Amino acid sequence: MAGGMLIIGAGECGGRAALALRDLDYQGPVTLVGDEPHLPYERPPLSKDAMASDAPEIKAIASDAILAEKSIRHIHSVQAVAIDRAAHTVRLSDGSVLPYDKLLLATGSTPRKLPMPGLGAHCVYLRTFADALAIRAHLTPGNRIAIIGGGFIGLELAAAARKLGAAVTVIEAQPRILMRGVPAEIAEIIHDTHVAEGVDILCGDGIASIADDGRQVRTTLAGGREIVADLAIIGIGAVPVTGLAAEAGLTIDNGIAVDAELRSSDPDIFAAGDCCSFPLAVYGGRRVRLEAWRNAQEQGALAARNMLGAGEAHAAVPWFWSDQYGLSLQIAGLSDEGSSTVRRDLGDGAFILFHLAEDGRLVAASGIGPGNAVARDIRLAEMLIGKQAKPAPEALGSQDVKLKSLLAA
Amino acid sequence: MSDWVEACATGDIDEEDVMRFDHGGRTFAIYRSPDDEFFATDGLCTHEKVHLADGLVMDDIIECPKHNGRFNYKTGDARGAPVCVNLKTYPVKVDAGKVLIRIG
């Protein structure tokens, strides 16, 4: 076992996997390769707290001291360029070649590019800390920011930009914001909050053209409207980073295809986090790919266990959150599995929509409210979803029935 | 000097639950275990300073409402990613239906 454990991708997933290998008392070499110059860090703050603060800082997952103490070799600022599966090696952009016994691909995702001509230096995407710093410099009072895409990244950035006094227009081609995965009832509250905070939201009108003249960006919508901005931020989704895996001949299916143990079509290569698609047990093995912080963290740790031979199947329920202004949204499960909803009001405007399948199973819960008002009940809902429970709709809808009491049933 | 502070009445917290208690510019979390014992810790998660009292109590674990960091609220021990720093705990006593904590 000379090669040890090699992890490509030093984000949340790769970083957590490296730490987990040591927590599991693995004694061989652990090598973490990342293409950014930083320590492994948490990305969620990039569109939230870091963006709204005067001097954004990295929230590192592990310090240099921790990495040294745990004998985790962190190679930064390089790319992995090729996997030699027969030789069990990976070649890096600096020409070096690293051996492995087991390889974990935690290559993440990258912003989906807007396929249009006319984009220039003032049309940007957010993925890395460097991206965040570049965007932050433009979020100044009165500066005009166009956000293309009414998804989570765009809306969180809109909230941060407003907090800093910028003038913000959100452009969404779909009929409403957050079309993917968020119920209309909740999207409407987020929409109204943005409008109340001074954001101009334009839905249902696609982009006809963009022109970046080096000073400003002029976006023309299909309906004829023009939006002139000092910076355009494009947030229209993400695509998995699969090039390295594809060139090595691994099966790709909306991401690097892995089994329930996160193993790719090569038994010595695992993939985890945003870059992989995997069968979700709670929905009968439906193949999904998740772009979420907690999934990256959990799959990183699960991959570490399975690289050491645990043979453990993924069993988690998808979960994510978003913060905008004082509102927090949390969703457990995939709401498109549901055919009906039950609403539970929690007070202070907070509420949860429970999504039930035709056979009565609770398949998802979407909640919104001030602060962390929905957190506890969403967590309980997540456990109920994981148990494939069929709680009575009346019980879910009634504040008098504690959700915790349904878990025991 | 006595630094026992009255935090709440025993009936203010359900079994296997938590409530927030602010005192002297600080914030604490007071817990009632499934065995009807009371405990107290610092109120903010050691990961990103989120109020733990909005989180879920299951057995002897409090889970942060934001990022699911877990602590044993009886001992303060951090129980895995993303939390790695333990939670400070405080002595608790119950006297005549009142929950008192000693904040040193």
Side-chain angles (χ1 to χ4, degrees):
Chain A
M1 301 290 277
M5 302 295 172
L6 177 58
I7 302 166
I8 305 298
E12 182 74 38
C13 184
R16 291 293 173 194
L19 293 170
L21 285 166
R22 290 303 184 216
D23 288 345
L24 293 162
D25 282 333
Y26 175 68
Q27 303 288 327
V30 174
T31 307
L32 183 60
V33 177
D35 55 7
E36 290 183 65
H38 315 289
L39 287 165
Y41 63 91
E42 299 191 18
R43 291 191 203 279
L46 297 184
S47 51
K48 307 180 180 78
D49 317 359
M51 197 50 80
S53 76
D54 288 336
E57 285 178 17
I58 287 234
K59 185 161 177 56
I61 292 164
S63 63
D64 277 316
I66 294 281
L67 294 177
E69 179 195 316
K70 293 182 181 292
S71 295
I72 295 168
R73 181 181 175 205
H74 176 218
I75 304 176
H76 59 81
S77 311
V78 292
Q79 302 205 322
V81 294
I83 303 170
D84 184 333
R85 288 165 56 187
H88 276 57
T89 58
V90 173
R91 185 159 49 83
L92 305 184
S93 53
D94 63 3
S96 59
V97 174
L98 301 175
Y100 66 84
D101 293 317
K102 302 285 183 203
L103 174 65
L104 173 62
L105 299 176
T107 46
S109 56
T110 188
R112 184 186 303 279
K113 300 294 185 283
L114 187 65
M116 298 189 91
L119 302 182
H122 290 86
C123 303
V124 298
Y125 299 86
L126 172 62
R127 176 67 185 172
T128 65
F129 185 68
D131 296 338
L133 285 182
I135 290 172
R136 176 65 184 80
H138 289 273
L139 303 186
T140 52
N143 222 24
R144 298 162 302 173
I145 308 297
I147 293 178
I148 296 171
F152 285 112
I153 294 270
L155 293 169
E156 289 181 357
L157 284 172
R162 283 302 300 144
K163 201 169 168 182
L164 295 164
V168 181
T169 305
V170 172
I171 301 163
E172 170 57 61
Q174 298 287 325
R176 66 163 170 91
I177 59 168
L178 299 172
M179 275 294 276
R180 200 180 65 144
V182 178
E185 212 171 327
I186 288 178
E188 189 181 323
I189 288 170
I190 295 174
H191 180 114
D192 292 350
T193 304
H194 276 279
V195 170
E197 296 282 348
V199 176
D200 201 3
I201 301 185
L202 309 174
C203 287
D205 201 354
I207 295 172
S209 68
I210 292 190
D212 180 345
D213 67 7
R215 290 180 302 113
Q216 57 187 24
V217 183
R218 184 178 302 270
T219 305
T220 307
L221 302 185
R225 183 161 174 171
E226 278 193 353
I227 299 99
V228 177
D230 301 295
L231 183 75
I233 308 172
I234 302 164
I236 54 170
V239 292
V241 177
T242 59
L244 184 69
E247 281 178 34
L250 300 179
T251 304
I252 308 294
D253 178 4
N254 178 32
I256 303 166
V258 296
D259 65 15
E261 296 176 15
L262 307 181
R263 192 179 279 105
S264 74
S265 53
D266 179 322
D268 289 330
I269 303 179
F270 294 73
D274 290 20
C275 70
C276 80
S277 70
F278 65 99
L280 199 50
V282 71
Y283 304 130
R286 170 181 169 187
R287 181 162 290 275
V288 299
R289 191 175 67 77
L290 301 176
E291 295 158 3
W293 174 81
R294 197 169 93 188
N295 178 63
Q297 187 182 108
E298 288 173 347
Q299 288 196 337
L302 176 62
R305 295 196 291 277
N306 287 338
M307 288 163 86
L308 298 178
E312 184 184 333
H314 180 274
V317 171
W319 176 91
F320 74 94
W321 90 98
S322 176
D323 299 328
Q324 293 163 45
Y325 310 104
L327 282 178
S328 187
L329 163 144
Q330 292 197 3
I331 297 182
L334 301 178
S335 58
D336 65 359
E337 290 276 330
S339 58
S340 63
T341 60
V342 175
R343 175 171 167 141
R344 181 187 183 97
D345 285 295
L346 307 178
D348 286 336
F351 66 91
I352 292 178
L353 297 178
F354 293 100
H355 308 267
L356 298 162
E358 272 176 28
D359 64 2
R361 266 178 312 125
L362 179 65
V363 288
S366 314
I368 190 158
N372 289 313
V374 302
R376 196 185 295 204
D377 282 347
I378 289 287
R379 183 71 179 98
L380 288 163
E382 182 194 329
M383 293 183 208
L384 288 166
I385 296 164
K387 289 177 67 171
Q388 309 202 357
K390 297 180 177 178
E394 313 79 64
L396 291 174
S398 168
Q399 265 183 279
D400 299 331
V401 179
K402 291 199 163 197
L403 288 185
K404 205 183 244 181
S405 71
L406 302 177
L407 262 182
Chain B
M1 81 182 215
S2 168
D3 45 8
W4 287 97
V5 176
E6 183 183 324
C8 59
T10 53
D12 291 344
I13 315 177
D14 289 338
E15 283 187 12
E16 203 179 40
D17 210 344
V18 58
M19 76 176 265
R20 175 174 163 180
F21 170 59
D22 292 348
H23 181 80
R26 295 159 68 186
T27 185
F28 304 90
I30 315 292
Y31 308 84
R32 186 173 181 175
S33 76
D35 305 326
D36 202 16
E37 289 184 283
F38 289 85
F39 298 88
T41 70
D42 269 339
L44 300 178
C45 181
T46 59
H47 174 237
E48 280 198 351
K49 298 191 169 31
V50 171
H51 281 284
L52 290 168
D54 289 325
L56 179 67
V57 177
M58 295 290 272
D59 295 326
D60 50 7
I61 299 294
I62 173 72
E63 190 176 75
C64 175
K66 204 68 187 185
H67 308 124
N68 311 102
R70 287 168 199 159
F71 302 91
N72 181 320
Y73 59 80
K74 297 180 176 177
T75 62
D77 288 344
R79 301 296 283 269
V83 293
C84 46
V85 177
N86 292 344
L87 205 55
K88 185 167 166 47
T89 59
Y90 300 88
V92 175
K93 68 179 180 183
V94 174
D95 186 14
K98 306 290 185 194
V99 180
L100 301 123
I101 74 170
R102 197 172 71 204
I103 40 189

